[in-house]
Amino acid sequence: MTDQPTSNAVRAPGATYRVQFHAGFTLRDALAIVPYLHALGVTHLYASPILKARPGSTHGYDVLDHSALNPEIGSEADLAELSRALRDRGMGLLLDAVPNHMSVGTGNAWWADVLEHGPASSFATAFDIAWHDSPRPQMAGRLLLPVLGDQYGAVLEAGEFKPVFEEGGFYVRVHDNRLPLDPRTYGQVLAPASRDVRERHGAEHPSAIELASILHAVQGLPPRTDPDEARQAEGRLEVIAIRRRLGELAERFPEAAAAVAGTLTKLAGTPGDPTSFAALDELLEAQAYRPCFWRVASDEINYRRFFDVNDLAALSTERREVFDAVHATWFRWLREGIADGLRIDHPDGLFDPKEYLARLQTSVRRTPPGPTDDGTSRDGAGGLYVVVEKILGDGEELPAAWECAGTTGYEFIHALNGLFVDPASEGPLTSFYQQFTGLDDPWPEVVYRSKRQATQGALASELNALAHQLDRIARLDRRSRDFTLNGIRKALREVVACFPVYRSYVNGSVGDTDKAVVGKATRWAYRRNPVLGKAVFDFIRDTVLLKDSPSGPASEEYRELQRRFAGKFQQVTSPVAAKGVEDTAFYVFNRLVSLNEVGGEPGKFGWKPEQVHAFLHARAAAPGGLSPLSTHDTKRGEDVRARLNVLSELTAEWTQHVSRWSEYNRAHKTEVDDRLAPDANEEYLLYQTLVGAWPGRAGVSDEFRQRIRDYMKKALAEAKVHTSWINPNAEYEAAVASFIDRTLDPQQSDAFLLELGEFAERVAELGRINSLAQTLIRCTAPGVPDTYQGTESWDLSLVDPDNRRPVDYTARASWLHELDTQGTAAADLVRNLADPRAKLFVTATALRCRRDHQELFAHGDYVPVEATGERGANAFAFLRTSGTGAALVVTTRLPASLRDGWAGTALTLPAEWAGAGWKSLLTGESIRAHNGQLPLAEVLKGFPVALLICDTGT
């Protein structure tokens, strides 16, 4: 590279801003918004994955090539220019790294080589493939490839497999896939072609000689099962020569080329003549893969996937050579000063996250400095700044031994969101929800059922592989050999469904936390299934926890099998939790859907202020993790959640409305299979979604109606009650779409829309106060405030892909300029908080303050401030202190009960700040505490939230 950044001295982020790169938003588009982001107060651009992905990818997590930048978003020169523009303003770049999996679509050279050579491929161990775990003998050493739209035989006899000769090799095209044929099987094409040339032109003809020679070379290739690596290496060189010679046939040996083409045409078969496909069937059976109907994957797939996505194959990143190859480009960008840190996607999918993170840090430290590297630490503590997308369960802590700055912050969203939910309404809202929907299962039961469903459906193949692995261990010991494979599978399913967190972290050693969570899972599983017997659950527990069997000390072989099983077991509990909780239960348990958030606990109805204070105080000890309110993975945008939280304050009014709306709209339902669509639970979700995302006075547009239809279609499929992604019920989905259209049609639902609009506007007004409060806390609390694209202003996005809609940065930059050039912003905005500049005003003011007082906010103490008086419960306040500097953050919570204002309510400051003077950064006013008291009526008289800096001059 020619143009390199001039400095590598960038500290850990002060504030990040996440952007989603794709063909519609490129590196040059990001370059254009750098001045705006700097003006906003952002210190680091936080990029979605930027390596080469599937063509048209809108998220970048489907990486095809870890060695190349995604050409759809720009060039290496564009990336260098973006990095330089950031550094010129004292900013940096945080990259999203995807070390867990790759897309296996066309364009993945590693995967193509695996398909071509099977276990003999140089990349056979790069992917997590169980080559010999299938119960079907004919699948030994083969890969199940679920790429067909119908049963294999039907696709074959329809003539959809098209054998072709391209780029010097033979392939089979089917649907959008080009599947390579193993060169060892080229003889099934070349032999008939060779006979044809001999019969037509004689054995001495140059084309006949050339084909015979190539066929002889093919027959000399070592079989895929040959364990001799040297012979396999020689074979790969020979394949290059064979391909070269085949590629020259058309020019040098046209008769041979014509014979090959004729053989391929005959091989393709004739639809309507089943016997004509026998040769092609035989050829396909000889390959290192077996193409099959995509629905077969859930039961028999033998490569680990990213969750249940067939197109995303898991990598064996625990292997050093795979780790090095996957990370080479990221390390180069770090070495060259292009990037300053990494966000690690889905660490729970790694075999050993602790070892991975240690290797990551060690590799960076060992990487030779680039020409612009001055050796400055990137995280302030002598290592690379790294955050991990670890989803913590309620009360779970990030393992202390992980070498990272923290998580991407889902636990922060969970805690902060709970602050704005009124716990007093849990009983009434729960009763109404159960009465309206007829569903009364508590949250833990919904989770168990959803996780169990995942192990029986989408992730059944992963559980089957795990059961076979454990069965092999069981047969090695006399105390476990009587456990049947079926019994082991059933017990494993229950343990996985009962697992209390995403995963444990047994990695050769076993920690107390591992013992606790594994023990809890096996106990719960046994209680639910005593008929299976306690012994099999104890066996599972002891195997995962690397314990000796009751028969005596484990041999080294037995212990190694335990370690491998524990690692694989942990890689299964995580996707089951994600599919069962995030992608199923969150769409089934709809009591108050603002609680149904990644990392959340919908069964926990709100957080008390003292609990949130305790959470943030603990966070101050390790403030390097991100503090978002929205991400590309959240189930709904932060402003939608803020509105829906208001329903916990207006429970009586809300439930009355829902009852009436249901009556209004009953006639719009359609009967499908003897039931009305949508059902009551889906209808209840729809009403919450409409209130949360209501567009305001603009009313229902075609775009809004389509967004709601798209959201509900996804919600129905994720819930898996009446339809699903795997088994769609088109009639039911159409009935729900029709219900949406009718209820949002003023000609058919005038009374409903009028009432909905009035109620939603009231909720929105209160929700904006919640939004401003959580925004200010995010920007000032311990942690690194992270802003998702566009959410610095009002944003009513739903789940992806709705949250990847284009962001109007021209408008946002203009709004920010207006705020900077008018002196009465707070006074103007407080009269109309719906103004898109209102949230932007709070965001920019807080982020700029944070940048101006870096030490205070990055490392300062967190001190809760108590509010006393009649409305004390409606305030949430804290100090950030460092030496003689301090910032006071004051926010409003549960605003619906504040009709009479803040009279008689005040903040009580700690003794050392009892007489301090304060300057409000939002209103510009000065205020001084009297006897340690700050009246909230004075602090919040000009705006619903306040950020005050200690004014040493007063």
Side-chain angles (χ1 to χ4, degrees), residues 470-471 473-484 488 534-543 547-553 558:
L470 186 57
D471 182 57
I473 298 174
R475 293 199 300 266
L476 295 177
D477 189 86
R478 61 178 177 269
R479 298 292 292 270
S480 56
R481 66 181 54 156
D482 283 348
F483 297 141
T484 66
I488 286 173
K534 187 172 183 294
V536 68
F537 292 107
D538 289 346
F539 171 62
I540 293 172
R541 177 199 62 204
D542 293 348
T543 303
K547 290 185 177 182
D548 293 332
S549 83
S551 301
Y558 190 88

Side-chain angles (χ1 to χ4, degrees), residues 116-157:
E116 189 168 348
H117 299 289
S121 167
S122 301
F123 304 101
T125 57
F127 299 96
D128 195 351
I129 302 171
W131 291 105
H132 301 286
D133 272 359
S134 174
R136 299 191 181 193
Q138 65 269 33
M139 281 300 296
R142 298 182 72 193
L143 182 69
L144 192 74
L145 203 60
V147 296
L148 306 182
D150 200 348
Q151 297 287 339
Y152 166 76
V155 175
L156 178 73
E157 294 177 15

Side-chain angles (χ1 to χ4, degrees), residues 414-732:
H414 175 38
L416 190 53
N417 184 66
L419 179 65
F420 301 96
V421 174
D422 187 356
S425 68
E426 179 175 12
L429 196 58
T430 301
S431 296
F432 176 78
Y433 174 65
Q434 293 175 345
Q435 176 187 355
F436 184 80
T437 65
L439 303 175
D440 58 5
D441 283 337
W443 169 246
E445 183 63 26
V446 176
V447 169
Y448 164 76
R449 193 169 60 242
S450 299
K451 290 171 70 174
R452 198 173 189 278
Q453 182 184 50
T455 65
Q456 292 175 309
L459 296 170
S461 58
E462 281 77 1
L463 188 84
N464 288 337
L466 204 60
H468 280 281
Q469 194 174 353
L470 186 57
D471 182 57
R472 286 194 292 273
I473 298 174
R475 293 199 300 266
L476 295 177
D477 189 86
R478 61 178 177 269
R479 298 292 292 270
S480 56
R481 66 181 54 156
D482 283 348
F483 297 141
T484 66
L485 175 60
N486 192 44
I488 286 173
R489 184 186 294 110
K490 288 180 179 178
L492 270 175
R493 176 177 293 121
E494 295 303 320
V495 172
V496 171
C498 290
F499 216 75
V501 291
Y502 273 65
R503 64 168 282 178
S504 53
Y505 297 99
V506 175
N507 59 355
S509 61
V510 181
D512 291 340
T513 301
D514 299 319
K515 295 175 184 176
V517 297
V518 174
K520 184 178 291 185
T522 52
R523 287 194 305 274
W524 288 355
Y526 171 60
R527 289 171 190 166
R528 284 183 174 274
N529 301 271
V531 71
L532 293 176
K534 187 172 183 294
V536 68
F537 292 107
D538 289 346
F539 171 62
I540 293 172
R541 177 199 62 204
D542 293 348
T543 303
V544 174
L545 297 179
L546 311 182
K547 290 185 177 182
D548 293 332
S549 83
S551 301
S555 66
E556 185 52 40
E557 176 194 6
Y558 190 88
R559 187 71 78 217
E560 179 57 29
L561 288 172
Q562 283 184 317
R563 283 192 287 265
R564 293 300 300 174
F565 175 79
K568 296 301 181 184
F569 173 83
Q570 293 169 148
Q571 287 178 304
V572 169
T573 61
S574 176
V576 168
K579 294 305 297 181
V581 180
E582 298 171 33
D583 294 345
T584 304
F586 277 174
Y587 293 91
V588 174
F589 189 81
N590 295 323
R591 179 177 62 172
L592 181 64
V593 295
S594 57
L595 300 175
N596 296 15
E597 197 48 82
V598 181
E601 184 69 23
K604 183 175 182 177
F605 203 90
W607 285 49
K608 296 178 180 178
E610 55 266 30
Q611 292 175 310
V612 179
H613 279 310
F615 171 83
L616 295 176
H617 184 269
R619 194 172 174 82
L626 299 185
S627 300
L629 287 174
S630 298
T631 75
H632 62 286
D633 273 338
T634 44
K635 298 303 180 183
R636 48 193 54 80
E638 62 203 62
D639 297 327
V640 175
R641 282 199 311 273
R643 289 184 178 188
L644 292 176
N645 286 337
V646 174
L647 300 182
S648 71
E649 298 187 75
L650 305 177
T651 302
E653 191 175 342
W654 160 247
T655 56
Q656 290 169 8
H657 278 301
V658 170
S659 297
R660 280 199 301 274
W661 297 344
S662 181
E663 289 298 321
Y664 290 158
N665 297 324
R666 185 181 301 276
H668 299 324
K669 292 191 175 187
T670 304
E671 188 173 295
V672 179
D673 297 330
D674 300 322
R675 60 195 171 196
L676 291 176
D679 69 20
N681 194 35
E682 295 157 352
E683 185 180 5
Y684 192 66
L685 171 63
L686 173 62
Y687 293 148
Q688 290 183 74
T689 303
L690 290 174
V691 170
W694 189 250
R697 294 184 178 86
V700 178
S701 64
D702 290 342
E703 179 194 14
F704 178 75
R705 187 180 295 107
Q706 186 61 50
R707 287 177 57 212
I708 298 299
R709 277 198 299 257
D710 292 343
Y711 170 78
M712 287 301 296
K713 181 176 181 179
K714 178 169 184 172
L716 293 172
E718 298 285 28
K720 306 170 190 66
V721 175
H722 299 118
T723 185
S724 69
W725 298 119
I726 295 177
N727 294 298
N729 185 333
E731 186 180 2
Y732 192 91

